[in-house]
Amino acid sequence: NEKLEIAKRYLIPKQIRENGITKEQFAITDEVVVAVIQRYTRESGVRQLERAMGRLARKVALGVATDEPIPKLTAHSLEDLLGRQVRRDTVYRDKLPFGVATGLAWTQTGGEVLYIESVLLPEGGGLVLTGQLGDVMRESARAAQSYLWSNAEKFGIDPDKFKKHGLHLHVPAGAIPKDGPSAGVTMITAMSSVYTGVPARADTAMTGEITLTGEVLAIGGVKEKCLAAHAAGIRRIVLPKDNESDARDIPDDIRNQIEIFFVEHVDQLLQYTLDPHGASKGKKFPSTTEMPSVAATQ
């Protein structure tokens, strides 16, 4: 929304002046500008957006100068005018298999949705981590597994699973290095899902770090992460309690379309991120009434 306003107030009028065309000739709607932002820009600034607006304006100016038909600026014509789109946002998955959870990450180009996967390894051993994870994320994974192991009975997990099965945790897009203290809650949700046979909620994304005792710690990039979740079609978000004040930075029009839950502990986290109604037959996981309650901020 901020980029859209900058384009309307400054970038488009600038291109009209510099290319000697009129506002009527460069008739670009908000819908088209938003499509350019979503498909052809990845940075937090507007340099790429300004370049795209300049390319569109020059194509219009060329048509005017040569008496050729002026290109129609629509969301469907952008690929013909600007080439193949450079950005593809993560698509919302309406159903998750056991062991997969939806996380939120911060990058230099804004927030991103991140799916973390885990599987049990029959007769395997140890913890296998793949996906070019940095030291911080590796420590988060180990802390998540240790917490579940030490609290196995509380979550209805057979302790022998930790002894007889190895665990493989993977973060896709393996060619991209990943690190940072915000994936702990997603990792422990994915692990809880695979150990209990209870799927994670597909409509819920989360971000936050965890400690060995199960506390959920604050993270950064709340606004960018929530915007990424909204763009992917996700409407339930779980954040650390200590980030409650950061939610005020989310634009009101987006804030009114999402539901945010703030948690302080893993027990509360799993209450909102796992779906007991989708559990496999014979599996049990504490229901919301058996877990500590936490107030949801609407």
Side-chain angles (χ1 to χ4, degrees):
N1 290 341
E2 292 169 355
K3 287 185 177 182
L4 172 61
E5 289 303 315
I6 292 173
K8 291 166 62 177
R9 297 182 190 184
Y10 306 105
L11 303 184
I12 294 175
K14 177 183 177 182
Q15 294 302 327
I16 290 174
R17 292 193 306 269
E18 292 186 350
N19 289 278
I21 53 181
T22 66
K23 183 178 180 181
E24 289 71 27
Q25 291 168 333
F26 193 48
I28 186 167
T29 65
D30 289 0
E31 178 189 8
V32 176
V33 177
V34 170
V36 172
I37 293 169
Q38 293 176 336
R39 302 175 192 174
Y40 294 92
T41 70
R42 289 194 63 90
E43 60 184 358
S44 56
V46 294
R47 182 174 298 178
Q48 292 177 348
L49 178 58
E50 184 173 11
R51 289 175 179 170
M53 291 294 105
R55 291 178 63 187
L56 293 176
R58 287 191 292 274
K59 289 182 180 294
V60 170
L62 180 62
V64 173
T66 58
D67 291 327
E68 295 290 334
I70 297 176
K72 291 184 178 181
L73 304 178
T74 68
H76 297 293
S77 67
L78 286 179
E79 190 159 336
D80 293 332
L81 299 172
L82 296 177
R84 183 180 302 174
Q85 66 185 67
V86 299
R87 177 172 184 169
R88 289 175 172 81
D89 290 321
T90 301
V91 178
Y92 170 65
R93 297 164 64 175
D94 58 3
K95 187 176 181 180
L96 298 178
F98 301 135
V100 179
T102 310
L104 298 171
W106 181 90
T107 69
Q108 292 182 341
T109 59
E112 290 192 4
V113 174
L114 191 71
Y115 288 99
I116 292 182
E117 306 171 343
S118 62
V119 294
L120 292 180
L121 306 174
E123 300 181 2
L127 178 63
V128 179
L129 302 173
T130 55
Q132 279 216 57
L133 307 184
D135 291 339
V136 176
M137 291 186 72
R138 288 177 174 274
E139 291 175 0
S140 296
R142 295 188 184 99
Q145 187 185 45
S146 295
Y147 178 79
L148 288 177
W149 196 339
S150 63
N151 292 275
E153 292 185 3
K154 178 168 66 172
F155 296 118
I157 304 173
D158 182 358
D160 285 341
K161 279 192 174 182
F162 295 92
K163 302 175 183 178
K164 298 179 180 179
H165 296 78
L167 180 73
H168 186 164
L169 187 141
H170 177 65
V171 184
I176 303 173
K178 312 169 192 71
D179 203 13
S182 66
V185 295
T186 315
M187 290 178 170
I188 201 165
T189 296
M191 291 181 184
S192 298
S193 173
V194 77
Y195 279 125
T196 62
V198 178
R201 292 188 58 140
D203 63 351
T204 303
M206 65 210 75
T207 180
E209 189 51 279
I210 61 169
T211 70
L212 196 57
T213 56
E215 294 182 17
V216 177
L217 304 181
I219 43 76
V222 169
K223 174 184 174 183
E224 292 81 3
K225 292 175 180 179
C226 289
L227 290 177
H230 178 270
I234 297 171
R235 295 295 180 264
R236 295 177 85 254
I237 300 172
V238 179
L239 298 175
K241 178 70 173 177
D242 288 342
N243 283 118
E244 193 165 3
S245 60
D246 296 316
R248 300 170 188 166
D249 296 333
I250 303 171
D252 290 340
D253 59 327
I254 302 296
R255 185 68 181 85
N256 293 333
Q257 298 177 48
I258 60 178
E259 192 175 16
I260 300 179
F261 302 93
F262 297 98
V263 300
E264 299 176 282
H265 198 272
V266 168
D267 295 354
Q268 298 170 326
L269 165 76
L270 298 179
Q271 174 182 343
Y272 293 111
T273 59
L274 292 184
D275 181 12
H277 300 294
S280 0
K281 186 176 181 181
K283 301 294 183 181
K284 180 182 180 298
F285 193 81
S287 67
T288 55
T289 57
E290 295 173 316
M291 286 184 164
S293 62
V294 59
T297 300
Q298 303 296 330

